[in-house]
Amino acid sequence: LRDMLGGEKDRIDGIDHAAIVVSDMDRALGFYSGILGLEIIRDGRPGGGEKKTFLGNKNGVFLAVTEDKNRPAGGPVNHIAFRVSDVEALSRRLKDAGISFSEEKTGPDGKPTAYHFLDPDGLELEICVATPKEVPQY
């Protein structure tokens, strides 16, 4: 498999952004910016149309959000994992905001390494510590 990935210059280095569809942009941005703490890099709500909004932080944009009021809950995406520097601190903030976790993963030392939960549209999200280079904690 590693041979198929190519050399240093012609390989994929990581995920640039995830594009998701939500049923209510205002509700979604309240969740992603207000609860998860992502910054709104470009707010597409005033432009009308698809209402595409981009969120991220000082490291760049990594979430593109489009509104479709007829969207089915959950959608075909399994989950989106956000790497965080302090998974326990963010998990406490999420719990304080009323978020319930569907799964908690722990490392060999027994400390939490990841939490799974749902966004307002039923999309599964994960916050996690940096995963080993070989295999992520799916």
Side-chain angles (χ1 to χ4, degrees):
L1 177 64
R2 200 171 288 278
D3 291 338
M4 293 172 54
L5 296 177
E8 291 293 318
K9 293 183 179 180
D10 62 349
R11 71 169 190 219
I12 294 173
D13 291 326
I15 294 175
D16 181 76
H17 69 275
I20 63 171
V21 178
V22 300
S23 62
D24 183 315
M25 181 68 78
D26 292 328
R27 181 180 71 175
L29 295 184
F31 176 79
Y32 284 101
S33 65
I35 294 175
L36 285 185
L38 297 177
E39 297 173 31
I40 297 173
I41 305 298
R42 185 172 76 85
D43 191 341
R45 291 175 291 180
E50 291 185 331
K51 295 187 175 185
K52 189 168 296 242
T53 297
F54 297 92
L55 298 109
N57 62 22
K58 65 181 179 179
N59 296 319
V61 172
F62 46 87
L63 190 61
V65 181
T66 303
E67 182 180 79
D68 178 355
K69 295 194 179 295
N70 298 314
R71 170 193 191 285
V77 175
N78 180 278
H79 73 274
I80 299 173
F82 295 102
R83 185 174 47 238
V84 299
S85 57
D86 189 337
V87 73
E88 292 182 69
L90 184 51
S91 72
R92 283 191 298 275
R93 184 157 54 101
L94 293 172
K95 286 177 189 174
D96 290 347
I99 303 297
S100 299
F101 298 117
S102 58
E103 183 179 1
E104 176 183 328
K105 296 176 182 172
T106 56
D109 59 2
K111 291 185 179 181
T113 58
Y115 293 90
H116 286 248
F117 54 99
L118 301 178
D119 83 348
D121 280 290
L123 175 62
E124 185 175 347
L125 303 176
E126 175 184 358
I127 54 170
C128 63
V129 299
T131 57
K133 289 183 180 180
E134 296 81 24
V135 180
Q137 327 167 58
Y138 194 77

